[in-house]
Amino acid sequence: MALRIPTISSSHGLASSPAPISTTCRPAVLAVGSSWAAAAAVQKRSLLLATTASETRGVAPLRSSGIETTSVGAAAEAVTGQVTEVNKDTFWPIVEAAGDKVVVLDMYTEWCGPCKMMAPKFQEMSEKNLDVVFLKLDCNQDNKPLAKELGIKVVPTFKILKGGKVVKEVTGAKIEELAHAIDTVKSG
């Protein structure tokens, strides 16, 4: 049995053909019981544990792809200077808490190569742009409703919000384009 993610399509071609060099990942079909599904289950348990810890201490640091991130539990907080991992339940409260600050959301998946390449660059951006809130959302099954609401079609996709509304989008591993888009939104 296979699960199809209708909002994200495949572009990697057949297994026998060489894979195109791409700055985006698009999943084809995810088999139940696949290693991705197992990894997602482990991550879900980790986030559940982190959320429980964050409810008692406020915020719990997580490690994802070797990059330090923060998971926000019950209290929504717009943190600058770092990347905050969000989910379908914490995203909008954090955006509201950000007020007039620019919010940049990295929509990724654990298995996406270009997403992994962008993670350290995104982290560096968060450390340099202390007036911007940087968030990341794993577009897994649990967060599918939010990904669909935000119109995700490929990963990585970066949504730039101001005043609670999406004002710009950058798709693919295009760090210069993302930096320019952030500067444009900050100055306008």
Side-chain angles (χ1 to χ4, degrees):
M1 177 176 166
L3 298 175
R4 184 118 176 97
I5 299 178
T7 57
I8 304 174
S9 62
S10 175
S11 71
H12 289 299
L14 300 173
S16 60
S17 65
I21 296 175
S22 176
T23 61
T24 60
C25 282
R26 298 178 183 141
V29 177
L30 301 175
V32 173
S34 69
S35 61
W36 182 81
V42 168
Q43 182 179 16
K44 180 179 176 183
R45 283 191 297 273
S46 297
L47 286 175
L48 179 61
L49 293 173
T51 301
T52 303
S54 66
E55 289 171 356
T56 58
R57 289 181 279 146
V59 176
L62 295 175
R63 283 251 174 226
S64 175
S65 306
I67 304 296
E68 181 96 14
T69 61
T70 302
S71 172
V72 177
E77 183 180 351
V79 181
T80 59
Q82 64 188 27
V83 178
T84 304
E85 180 89 35
V86 294
N87 61 40
K88 65 180 174 33
D89 299 321
T90 60
F91 173 70
W92 287 114
I94 291 173
V95 170
E96 288 176 22
D100 291 337
K101 290 181 184 168
V102 174
V103 177
V104 183
L105 174 64
D106 174 7
M107 301 175 78
Y108 74 99
T109 59
E110 286 292 322
W111 45 262
C112 167
C115 298
K116 290 178 184 179
M117 287 178 9
M118 286 295 287
K121 296 173 185 175
F122 193 68
Q123 177 68 32
E124 286 176 27
M125 283 182 138
S126 73
E127 294 166 1
K128 291 178 183 172
N129 293 282
L130 299 177
D131 55 340
V132 177
V133 176
F134 286 83
L135 308 175
K136 59 190 259 179
L137 174 75
D138 186 354
C139 295
N140 59 23
Q141 281 299 107
D142 292 338
N143 294 320
K144 186 177 176 182
L146 178 58
K148 186 174 182 177
E149 177 185 344
L150 293 171
I152 182 104
K153 297 201 183 332
V154 299
V155 291
T157 292
F158 300 90
K159 301 279 185 172
I160 304 172
L161 298 93
K162 183 144 188 176
K165 296 184 181 201
V166 176
V167 293
K168 285 226 181 261
E169 176 180 303
V170 175
T171 57
K174 303 171 189 162
I175 195 70
E176 293 84 14
E177 189 176 326
L178 178 59
H180 178 70
I182 293 169
D183 289 341
T184 300
V185 171
K186 283 171 48 174
S187 64

